[in-house]
Structure formats: structure tokens, C-alpha cells
Amino acid sequence: MFKAAIITASDKGAQGLREDLSGPCIKKILEEANYEVVSIDILPDDRNLIADKLIELSDRKIPLILTTGGTGFAPRDNTPEATRDVIEKETPGISEAIRAESLKITPRAMLSRAVSGIRKQSLIINLPGSPKAVRECLDFILPTLEHGLNIMLSLDSECARK
């Protein structure tokens, strides 16, 4: 069982003006997949606040950190920049796979600026801001993430299939 954290980036959500539906959706999916969700936060779309929280969570050695929201074209969409500010290694294949699979559902997936990467022993993945899109993305990537987390944490050393 891996520990996981969730960050929702939403100005209105952080002010209590909009209910966060994506964060709880992620939590439910992760728990059903046998992850232990140890942190859930709703933050304003502020690059520094998001980066600081990502640093805090990775310093706590939480293996999987998922963000939701703030990945589009709006002036206040800062999640990818905050993520790039803190990661040490990019994992572009994850974000590319999410976009490729999402493009099969909607052409708007091409508007995603989401990124993913590793900081210390934490994998950080930006997800879209809607519950529907979150479900679609997690359904696609979760089966492969366990292997990636095992490799990142040195619990497994082989990527080759037997």
C-alpha cells in the first residue's frame, strides 16, 4: 500500500465558493486501488503556494502526489509551472499518455498543459480539474503506476518483462 496526497488548485474552491468534486473523486479511486490517502488540500491557483505544498509533501516522503486543476489556459492556471519549479526529473511519458488517451475522448485534451515528474522519492502528476476527466485519466494510468513507484522507491529493479 502506497501513501498518496491530493492537491486541488482552485481559487474559488480555496475560498469556499465552489465545492471540490475532483479531490474527493481522486481519493475514492485511490482508496479503491489500495492507496492510503494521507493528505488532501485545496489551494488557490498560486504558483508559490502550490510549489511550497509540493515540496512539503515530497519532504514527507509521500510516494504519489496528484494535483487536480490549474492545467489549462486561464491566466491563473499555474499548476504545471509550480510542478516544474520543484521536480528534479521529468516523467513526460505519463503526461503524454494521459493526453493521448484523453484525446480519444475529447479534442480539448490537447489544451492540457499538465506535467509530471519526480522530486526526491515522490512522483507528482498533474491531472485535469473535472471529476469525469480525473476518473478517465486514473483508470488509464493507475495500473502502470505501481510498477513505476516500486522502481522509484528501489522496491523493484527490473523493468523488463519476464
Side-chain angles (χ1 to χ4, degrees), residues 121-146:
Q121 296 289 293
S122 296
L123 174 60
I124 302 167
I125 301 173
N126 299 159
L127 296 172
S130 81
K132 178 183 180 293
V134 159
R135 276 190 299 278
E136 292 164 354
C137 293
L138 288 176
D139 285 349
F140 181 68
I141 66 169
L142 272 181
T144 304
L145 285 188
E146 182 178 351

Side-chain angles (χ1 to χ4, degrees), residues 69-81:
T71 60
F73 284 18
R76 292 279 295 164
D77 285 341
N78 293 304
T79 305
E81 288 72 28

Side-chain angles (χ1 to χ4, degrees), residues 8-26:
T8 298
S10 169
D11 286 333
K12 290 180 181 176
Q15 294 172 11
L17 301 174
R18 177 184 294 155
E19 181 183 6
D20 174 26
L21 300 175
S22 295
C25 179
I26 294 170

Side-chain angles (χ1 to χ4, degrees), residues 148-162:
L149 293 171
N150 279 319
I151 295 292
M152 180 184 74
L153 298 170
S154 299
L155 301 173
D156 194 353
S157 62
E158 296 294 327
C159 281
R161 293 181 183 231
K162 296 179 183 179

